[in-house]
Amino acid sequence: MAGNSDSIVLLELGSNLRKLRKKRRWSQAHLADLSETTEAQISLIERGLKDPATTTLIKIMWALEVEPNELYPKTV
């Protein structure tokens, strides 16, 4: 059962990330540059296919200038 809830969490995280990025009208490449990651990694996270490292999430939040509660899923 944990695997299913993990998938839901990753999908919600990715959806939140995509919304925040698009709100700023940034490309995945631009966010990747600002957060010192790759466009491919941003794409995988947004699609819920990658469980990002904490350091990666922190760099993404710094780039977007958001608090964790704006990026993390609210419920599972």
Side-chain angles (χ1 to χ4, degrees):
M1 192 63 98
N4 188 34
S5 64
D6 288 354
S7 296
I8 293 169
V9 168
L10 292 177
L11 287 169
E12 285 290 321
L13 174 69
S15 176
N16 292 344
L17 174 56
R18 182 180 295 110
K19 287 175 191 171
L20 290 166
R21 177 181 60 79
K22 288 190 172 208
K23 181 178 178 182
R24 286 157 181 75
R25 298 182 181 174
W26 290 355
S27 66
Q28 289 178 339
H30 184 69
L31 178 56
D33 287 343
L34 293 175
S35 59
E36 301 175 350
T37 188
T38 66
E39 184 177 355
Q41 192 168 15
I42 297 294
S43 175
L44 289 170
I45 295 167
E46 285 188 357
R47 291 183 286 145
L49 300 176
K50 178 161 180 59
D51 190 353
T54 302
T55 53
T56 300
L57 284 176
I58 290 170
K59 289 178 180 182
I60 289 170
M61 286 186 289
W62 285 345
L64 291 168
E65 297 181 348
V66 297
E67 296 295 322
N69 64 334
E70 295 177 76
L71 186 60
Y72 293 156
K74 304 292 185 249
T75 60
V76 178

